[in-house]
Amino acid sequence: MRNITEDNLVDIVLERLNSESERDYEVISKFIKHIHAFIKDLEPTEEEWFKAIDFLTRTGQTCNDKRQEFILLSDVLGVSMLVDSINHRTKKNITETTVTGPFHTSALNFEMGDNIARGDEGKRGEPMVMRGLILDENNRPLEKALIDVWQSDDIGYYDIQDTNQPEMNLRGVFETDETGEFWFRTIKPKAYPVPTDGPVGELLRASGRHPMRPAHIHFWIKADGCQQLITHLFVAGDEHLDSDAVFGVKESLILDFKLNHSTEDADKWQVESPFYDVVYDFKLARQKT
Ligand code: BEZ
Ligand code: FE
């Protein structure tokens, strides 16, 4: 019989591990070491520990096909951005990455120039044209690049949070031709709070933190021979840029969303005047061979 004490328990748990895979062993043993160290440091009461288990249980129970509370938890703790940073250390001549977030879902395929605002937001929101190029790190245009875009509406809700919006509203997939050019119509995105009616909201309140994200539009770009790019573009001047609830802002992704008053340009892009005219060239890293 071994005498288990708080001093030898972590080693006894580690001795039991018999993983076939080295990486499994590394993941499990490091997790055990860190959580034992955390508990020794914190010395929670039994009541507090049950509260922690209840928090994680409810986080899981809050997830469904339209809501991902665990991604949100990872995001507000800064863990998603830490994983992002570790996996994208080389900057070179490429667009920087940021969090995917919990609101990406499948979307309709569109033709260049289509309007992704398909509900009342299309009439209420401020018209915007988003355009630019999809390039590789050598500035060569990428043909057949898939541009998956999603954003919130003029009030700050995604379609999957709001039954008043048509399904797959304010999201869409576009494919480039040999020029690498893209353009589409939409509305200017607004700052919005991450969902606070679940366990993550409790955590933010207990931390004394606000839930706001600065206004942004999401992109997930895939092209043959290149590493995929998951990023956002942020609206310059937003009051939440320095305190994003999920730590996703990078300087290079903040853009001037210019208001264009030219009626000639409005006619050219088939939007009402004035409109926000946003131009950005995305650069994807070549896949390592
Ligand atoms: C988003 O930008 O859609 C988002 C990202 C992380 C957490 C919540 C929302
Ligand atoms: Fe978002």
Side-chain angles (χ1 to χ4, degrees), residues 6 9-11 14 29-44:
E6 60 184 275
L9 181 54
V10 69
D11 292 329
L14 290 171
S29 62
K30 284 190 171 163
F31 180 74
I32 290 168
K33 281 181 202 167
H34 284 279
I35 195 161
H36 276 250
F38 169 66
I39 295 296
K40 280 180 178 166
D41 182 27
L42 188 66
E43 298 195 338

Side-chain angles (χ1 to χ4, degrees), residues 68 71-73 75-76 80 99-104 150-152 158 192-195 211 213-214 216 218 232 234 244-246:
Q68 234 304 348
I71 293 183
L72 189 57
L73 180 60
D75 294 340
V76 302
S80 302
V99 279
T100 314
F103 294 125
H104 178 262
W150 68 106
Q151 68 170 91
S152 63
Y158 284 85
Y192 63 84
V194 302
R213 293 220 65 205
H216 60 272
H218 296 254
H232 324 340
F234 294 93
D244 181 9
V246 305

